Amino acid sequence: WQFMFPVFEVVTIISTLWLLATPIGEETIQGNTSSLGDVLELLKDKVVFLLFLGILFVVGVDVGINTAASKILIERCGLDVIHAGYGSSVYFAFRTAGAFIGAFLLTRVAASSFFRVNILIAVAALAVLLFVKEKLLIFALYGVVGFTIANIFPIIYSYAIRRRPEKANEISGLMITGVFGGAVIPFFMGITSDAVKSQAGSVFIILLSALYLTYCAFSLAKKGT
């Protein structure tokens, strides 16, 4: 795997030089620059605040699964570090497939329905993951969660933009700030797993994050977002 780093370096250098040589016509931005206060002011809108937390938790689920995947396989199935690492690979493979397939499905299915169905499946998979110890089933559950969680981030993001289209720039900045959930959720996963001396604690925190997303999915429908 060490040989991948020179490959990444070469690709990065080529991409950078290509970008520098590419003429890009930029439009002149009209209007005032948004301040931090303008962005935080949006949190007074309850729906925007709900969506912001949704971004935080969906990123938390994403990073949380990646963090816990190999640890769960080591703890429950006795795999070595190398083979346990395939858990994250399975998760991201299905997440990539989910994002690709979801892009087509969302042109034919309402985003709200798609959100609700996928998050319910993800919650069910995480609930099973709390207890299961069979290796192949654990891998399968990683795939299910990866596939169903793949499109939730862009759905929530688009909801937020549609909620306040006149504040698109501020909304974008606020939503992207929510990616710090990738640092917050694993922190609580560590505390909980240490407390119960099992990776079931980590899965429990991920499950709670997914349950919030379930609330978010159905609450948004009621608010007509």
Side-chain angles (χ1 to χ4, degrees):
W1 59 266
Q2 293 95 330
F3 293 108
M4 292 304 298
F5 288 100
V7 174
F8 292 152
E9 180 182 14
V10 171
V11 171
T12 301
I13 291 173
I14 292 174
S15 300
T16 302
L17 294 175
W18 192 353
L19 181 60
L20 287 172
T22 302
I24 300 174
E26 299 185 16
E27 298 180 0
T28 302
I29 299 175
Q30 302 293 333
N32 299 324
T33 302
S34 300
S35 66
L36 177 61
D38 294 329
V39 174
L40 295 179
E41 184 75 16
L42 293 168
L43 292 176
K44 292 182 179 180
D45 184 320
K46 291 183 179 181
V47 174
V48 172
F49 181 66
L50 187 71
L51 293 167
F52 172 74
L53 291 180
I55 292 291
L56 187 151
F57 283 112
V58 73
V59 174
V61 170
D62 193 26
V63 177
I65 287 290
N66 184 41
T67 302
S70 59
K71 296 178 182 178
I72 293 170
L73 287 165
I74 292 171
E75 178 182 275
R76 300 183 185 178
C77 306
L79 298 185
D80 58 49
V81 174
I82 294 177
H83 290 90
Y86 291 130
S88 294
S89 299
V90 169
Y91 172 75
F92 281 110
F94 277 84
R95 190 182 184 284
T96 301
F100 182 75
I101 295 172
F104 291 97
L105 292 178
L106 284 168
T107 63
R108 297 168 173 80
V109 180
S112 57
S113 299
F114 189 84
F115 187 2
R116 290 194 294 267
V117 170
N118 277 273
I119 194 58
L120 287 174
I121 295 173
V123 165
L126 288 168
V128 175
L129 188 59
L130 272 173
F131 310 103
V132 69
K133 295 182 179 180
E134 206 283 315
K135 180 176 68 174
L136 292 180
L137 183 53
I138 292 175
F139 276 111
L141 291 171
Y142 290 161
V144 171
V145 176
F147 190 88
T148 53
I149 209 77
N151 295 284
I152 292 179
F153 184 105
I155 289 174
I156 293 176
Y157 189 94
S158 66
Y159 279 166
I161 295 295
R162 290 207 303 269
R163 174 70 178 181
R164 299 288 297 276
E166 77 284 1
K167 295 285 187 179
N169 289 335
E170 292 86 345
I171 288 286
S172 296
L174 180 63
M175 292 298 115
I176 293 303
T177 304
V179 301
F180 78 88
V184 174
I185 299 304
F187 172 75
F188 287 103
M189 287 167 54
I191 291 175
T192 308
S193 60
D194 287 345
V196 301
K197 302 186 185 309
S198 169
Q199 286 303 312
S202 294
V203 179
F204 179 70
I205 297 298
I206 297 172
L207 177 58
L208 288 181
S209 300
L211 286 172
Y212 174 81
L213 293 170
T214 306
Y215 162 75
C216 193
F218 286 90
S219 177
L220 289 171
K222 293 180 181 178
K223 294 179 185 297
T225 303

